[in-house]
Amino acid sequence: MIPLLAIDTPGRALFDQLADKWSLAILASLGGGAMRFNAIRRDLGGITQKSLTQSLRRLERNGLLARRVIATSPIAVEYEISPLGRALHDSFRALEKGLCDHLADVEKARALFDRRWNAL
């Protein structure tokens, strides 16, 4: 049996996409409900239009986001977490909680590492 996260498997491709710089932040931003493109961009801060567009497209392609065109003038687009994305949302939240719960430990480990390496 091939492990889910082995190189060149669909599971690895999905994992790599979700572990990129912006995907989990976008999903967290949309956790409260549907948002328009510029609202997501403002919420994240620091993401370029190009990066946001690419990340939203990948998330939509993977079935984690739904995109809805609003027939207004000018036309608007709204994004929300899809049912599949909602099914995985608890896992994302558990990862976020675990990271937050252990952030102080990570900071201590970083400081210890930096002191050891700076002493060389």
Side-chain angles (χ1 to χ4, degrees):
M1 181 171 124
I2 299 172
L4 178 66
L5 299 181
I7 298 292
D8 296 329
T9 64
R12 178 62 179 263
L14 177 59
F15 179 82
D16 288 347
Q17 197 258 307
L18 289 174
D20 75 5
K21 186 174 181 177
W22 295 109
S23 292
L24 290 177
I26 290 168
L27 291 169
S29 183
L30 292 170
M35 294 174 73
R36 290 172 60 168
F37 183 93
N38 284 326
I40 298 168
R41 189 171 174 199
R42 280 190 303 274
D43 195 44
L44 295 178
I47 189 169
T48 65
Q49 182 173 336
K50 180 180 178 182
S51 291
L52 180 55
T53 298
Q54 290 173 340
S55 294
L56 289 169
R57 283 183 185 158
R58 283 192 306 267
L59 288 165
E60 183 182 8
R61 181 173 183 264
N62 287 319
L64 302 178
L65 287 187
R67 180 179 181 268
R68 183 171 70 97
V69 176
I70 304 167
T72 57
S73 182
I75 292 176
V77 177
E78 189 175 73
Y79 296 89
E80 64 182 327
I81 298 176
S82 69
L84 175 58
R86 285 270 172 229
L88 298 173
H89 196 256
D90 288 344
S91 299
F92 302 147
R93 298 299 294 183
L95 175 61
E96 179 183 30
K97 183 184 180 322
L99 292 172
C100 289
D101 289 350
H102 297 283
L103 188 57
D105 297 328
V106 171
E107 291 296 324
K108 287 178 191 173
R110 286 177 178 167
L112 179 62
F113 178 90
D114 291 346
R115 280 195 303 273
R116 282 195 323 252
W117 278 96
N118 290 333
L120 296 179

